[in-house]
Amino acid sequence: FRKMQRLFSVVPAVGLSFLARFAGEKFYTKDHEWVDESGLVGISDYAQKHLGQIVYVDLPEIGKEVAQKDTLTAVESVKAASDVFAPVAGTVEKVNEKLRDNAGLINKAAETDGWIAKISIKDTAEFGTLMNAEKYADFLKTQH
């Protein structure tokens, strides 16, 4: 970790974001979606806690093209239905088939096994409009 920290301290800001993406970092929206460098998309742990028990996920169609902030899909919980917006533009390549029979997987592992879709990212520059984990944690402190 210290070696990585030293590496990041000498890399310019643009290079840092490039390296961070390939280190597996997630980026978050103010609407509590996340995307990682591979294009996996899901909702944050914060979002799943506020939704309550998730009972259904309307998985998007493979091949669906979305612009950043377009509705990607929807999730339904015992409390409400909620749209899930695309954190970045791209095309749906794959969906998490496990969610068809086990939507509650999002409640158990929202930011790992509970991913919703994998999209091919159209423009990696859009990561710059999102929050990294540290900024997202700060953002959550402002939520009531």
Side-chain angles (χ1 to χ4, degrees):
F1 179 74
R2 287 176 194 237
K3 287 180 184 177
M4 287 288 266
Q5 195 172 29
R6 278 189 297 221
L7 174 64
F8 286 156
S9 68
V10 296
V11 176
V14 173
L16 174 60
S17 64
F18 175 81
L19 288 174
R21 275 185 262 143
F22 287 94
E25 186 173 358
K26 287 184 179 70
F27 294 86
Y28 299 84
T29 70
K30 290 182 178 180
D31 293 316
H32 309 289
E33 294 92 10
W34 60 264
V35 60
D36 71 11
E37 79 285 350
S38 73
L40 289 181
V41 174
I43 64 171
S44 70
D45 191 52
Y46 176 90
Q48 70 80 19
K49 284 178 183 171
H50 285 275
L51 283 169
Q53 182 184 354
I54 295 173
V55 295
Y56 177 74
V57 179
D58 183 20
L59 294 171
E61 301 252 342
I62 293 175
K64 177 180 181 173
E65 290 187 29
V66 290
Q68 187 179 38
K69 301 181 184 177
D70 277 359
T71 300
L72 176 64
T73 190
V75 295
E76 293 179 20
S77 72
V78 294
K79 292 182 182 179
S82 182
D83 286 338
V84 176
F85 301 102
V88 293
T91 304
V92 176
E93 293 182 332
K94 187 176 178 180
V95 296
N96 188 348
E97 294 291 342
K98 293 177 185 177
L99 298 178
R100 288 196 196 279
D101 298 322
N102 185 13
L105 181 58
I106 292 175
N107 294 112
K108 293 179 184 132
E111 296 192 29
T112 54
D113 294 340
W115 60 274
I116 296 170
K118 182 178 192 303
I119 62 173
S120 62
I121 299 166
K122 186 175 182 177
D123 183 2
T124 57
E126 289 180 338
F127 278 97
T129 67
L130 305 174
M131 295 174 277
N132 65 16
E134 183 180 344
K135 288 180 181 173
Y136 182 66
D138 289 342
F139 172 73
L140 291 179
K141 293 174 188 173
T142 68
Q143 302 296 289
H144 297 91

